[in-house]
Amino acid sequence: MPPNEFATTLVVLDLIGIFVFAVTGALVAVRKNLDLFAALVLAGVTGLGGGFVRDVLIGATPPAALADWRYLLVPVAAGLLTFAFHPTVGRLERVVTLFDAFGLALFCVTGALKAVDYGLGPLPAALLGMVTGIGGGILRDVLAGRVPVIFEGVLYATPALAGAAVAVLLDRADLPLAVVAASGFAVCLGWRLLAAVRGWRAPMPKGPASV
């Protein structure tokens, strides 16, 4: 695939991921009986938060979310559509969950590779790839006044970190970008979907708390 066409494909996939993440944010607002403004805020935070945090940390300013109008328009559109048609969107939650997994896999890889491009080592780059995937969801849950979902045993952050790590390591091996991206994407997506289907969860404390 020519470089320009590949870059365009990545942008399109990025915007799709932002849209799906934004839908989950707006659904949280609707289910907590919040108003339209809250739905738009949570949609924007969920869709753009992880990438925004990553760009600020690596010095990629202004962040992509502010430099390209499409990155602001997509979560607004997702928030409006979800707010207006939330009964229908809510019934499609399994489909939203599926696309959310695709968005997570995409963001963890693109986030990690962007960190590598800005000179970060393998471990920091993998961590920032994970942050790109999960950061928006954490900010959403904090603003909505609930414990972030990833802290309640859901296997979400771990697949993101694994996918980002695979992408970083293969990139250091000088493999083609398509192979690097596809491998990291597949690791994260496969793990996340298997965890969702089979009900895998992270270890949780057993017995009563001692404090």
Side-chain angles (χ1 to χ4, degrees):
M1 183 180 295
N4 288 342
E5 185 178 343
F6 185 71
T8 300
T9 301
L10 284 181
V11 170
V12 171
L13 293 174
D14 205 21
L15 294 175
I16 292 173
I18 289 171
F19 184 90
V20 175
F21 276 14
V23 167
T24 67
L27 277 177
V28 169
V30 169
R31 288 169 178 173
K32 291 185 74 70
N33 200 31
L34 303 179
D35 63 13
L36 175 60
F37 179 72
L40 295 178
V41 168
L42 291 186
V45 165
T46 310
L48 303 174
F52 199 99
V53 171
R54 176 206 61 216
D55 287 350
V56 170
L57 290 176
I58 65 178
T61 55
L66 300 180
D68 188 334
W69 62 270
R70 294 172 295 182
Y71 282 77
L72 296 176
L73 179 62
V74 166
V76 170
L80 290 172
L81 289 172
T82 304
F83 190 85
F85 304 105
H86 64 87
T88 301
V89 176
R91 288 193 294 270
L92 297 175
E93 188 157 4
R94 288 189 176 182
V95 177
V96 173
T97 300
L98 174 63
F99 281 101
D100 179 79
F102 275 85
L104 177 69
L106 173 68
F107 283 3
C108 76
V109 171
T110 57
L113 294 179
K114 185 169 184 177
V116 169
D117 285 341
Y118 274 76
L120 271 67
L123 181 57
L127 290 173
L128 280 181
M130 179 186 70
V131 168
T132 305
I134 71 173
I138 292 177
L139 294 173
R140 172 202 65 207
D141 291 342
V142 170
L143 289 175
R146 67 183 195 178
V147 176
V149 173
I150 65 167
F151 296 158
E152 297 181 329
V154 175
L155 282 178
Y156 201 83
T158 306
L161 180 60
V166 167
V168 170
L169 293 175
L170 293 181
D171 180 71
R172 288 179 67 86
D174 291 327
L175 293 176
L177 178 59
V179 174
V180 171
S183 300
F185 182 91
V187 168
C188 178
L189 178 64
W191 193 341
R192 175 68 191 122
L193 291 180
L194 280 173
V197 171
R198 295 182 175 273
W200 294 345
R201 299 181 65 83
M204 299 292 288
K206 297 180 180 179
S210 58
V211 293

